[in-house]
Amino acid sequence: SFGGSEKKERFQSFTCKSMKKFIPFILIIIISLFITLLWFRQGKIMGAGESGLIFYDLDSQFQLAKFSWGDPGLGNSLGIGVAASPTYWFFSRVQNIGVPAPVVQAIFFAIIFCVAGFSVYFLTKEFFPQLEEKFIFLAVLFYWFNPLSMVNVWNRFLYNYMVFWALLPLASFLFIRGLIKKDFRYAIFTSVSTMVFSFALTSIPFNLILWFLFFYTALFFICILRQNIRFILEYFCLSLVSFIFLNFWWISQTFSFIS
């Protein structure tokens, strides 16, 4: 009887600890949904400035973005803007099954918030593994609601800014975790994340920022942390080669545009 009660207490303690671990993730999802529901409570699509109302007809946006030479009028060069086409394609398929445009846009925003939230959570935990969960969660709230995000992402209301805002902590976490774990697979995972969120890289400055961050991080591991130089160089080169390989379908448009 005593042994049974002891096992029960251990099970309850284990269950309680397991539930506590999921609380930050549940809160991230709930807050993301709450924000999007608050924004779209009137059932209207949102747009500002040069971003336009692309969610009004995503299939048309996909048709315009899928080739490097656009159709309107006599045609115009889209350049690396074709990197947005997978995003347009995916959400246009959602819209084509009958989901209203405001709901599709709300789903897009909820995904952006969740990806940014989860990525910052894991990135903060990677840097500070002993930090209490409540402070790690505060890092997520800070990333979401700091003045820079408010002004340059949500006030500008440009979609590639939004996607880059979500991609930056995700790619950073994968890249840094690979360096810490000395695992080449994370170099591939980092490149895959850039392919999935290719919309973020429709601007050359965003590409430069991303790769400057990777370069600076690798340099920090070499010069400050005194890590294995050979591994870091190989890891960085694998990240770059896999990035070019997986994203060459839109990177090539830069050279076409220049020529």
Side-chain angles (χ1 to χ4, degrees):
S1 175
F2 176 76
S5 61
E6 185 179 1
K7 288 181 180 179
K8 185 177 180 180
E9 288 177 2
R10 287 180 179 177
F11 175 76
Q12 290 176 343
S13 176
F14 174 77
T15 304
C16 185
K17 289 180 180 179
S18 299
M19 288 299 295
K20 285 183 178 179
K21 289 182 179 179
F22 287 105
I23 289 177
F25 307 124
I26 295 172
L27 287 175
I28 288 172
I29 294 173
I30 290 175
I31 296 174
S32 299
L33 292 175
F34 174 77
I35 292 172
T36 52
L37 287 173
L38 183 65
W39 285 357
F40 291 93
R41 65 187 183 278
Q42 295 181 348
K44 299 177 181 179
I45 54 177
M46 299 172 63
E50 62 267 43
S51 65
L53 300 174
I54 64 172
F55 282 87
Y56 178 75
D57 188 350
L58 284 165
D59 194 54
S60 295
Q61 291 295 325
F62 171 62
Q63 297 301 324
L64 292 172
K66 68 179 180 179
F67 296 122
S68 58
W69 188 258
D71 287 335
L74 298 176
N76 65 289
S77 177
L78 198 62
I80 60 173
V82 296
S85 57
T87 304
Y88 291 144
W89 176 85
F90 175 79
F91 285 102
S92 67
R93 300 285 81 78
V94 176
Q95 195 174 57
N96 288 344
I97 63 176
V99 180
V103 177
V104 176
Q105 191 177 23
I107 292 172
F108 171 81
F109 282 157
I111 292 173
I112 293 298
F113 267 101
C114 284
V115 171
F118 288 131
S119 301
V120 171
Y121 177 88
F122 287 116
L123 182 61
T124 307
K125 199 172 184 64
E126 190 69 42
F127 283 133
F128 309 103
Q130 303 302 322
L131 196 64
E132 293 183 42
E133 294 290 328
K134 60 182 179 181
F135 296 118
I136 297 177
F137 183 70
L138 284 175
V140 176
L141 295 180
F142 176 78
Y143 189 74
W144 276 349
F145 303 117
N146 71 79
L148 192 64
S149 296
M150 293 291 97
V151 174
N152 281 342
V153 177
W154 300 112
N155 184 60
R156 290 293 304 275
F157 214 80
L158 299 177
Y159 294 103
N160 55 346
Y161 279 55
M162 299 175 195
V163 181
F164 186 74
W165 179 75
L167 171 64
L168 192 60
L170 174 61
S172 300
F173 166 71
L174 294 172
F175 187 82
I176 292 170
R177 186 168 179 81
L179 289 174
I180 294 174
K181 297 291 184 181
K182 294 181 172 57
D183 190 340
F184 285 109
R185 291 179 300 174
Y186 282 93
I188 307 297
F189 297 156
T190 303
S191 299
V192 170
S193 71
T194 63
M195 181 180 67
V196 173
F197 293 92
S198 60
F199 198 155
L201 305 177
T202 54
S203 173
I204 291 179
F206 287 159
N207 287 274
L208 296 177
I209 290 171
L210 185 67
W211 279 99
F212 174 80
L213 177 63
F214 291 162
F215 175 77
Y216 177 82
T217 302
L219 198 63
F220 179 84
F221 271 77
I222 293 173
C223 299
I224 306 300
L225 300 183
R226 304 291 182 181
Q227 298 293 320
N228 188 305
I229 297 178
R230 180 177 177 179
F231 166 76
I232 294 173
L233 291 177
E234 291 176 349
Y235 184 86
F236 185 85
C237 289
L238 178 60
S239 300
L240 181 59
V241 170
S242 58
F243 172 81
I244 294 173
F245 176 78
L246 292 174
N247 293 282
F248 191 74
W249 56 276
W250 63 262
I251 293 175
S252 60
Q253 303 308 320
T254 303
F255 303 105
S256 299
F257 178 77
I258 293 172
S259 62

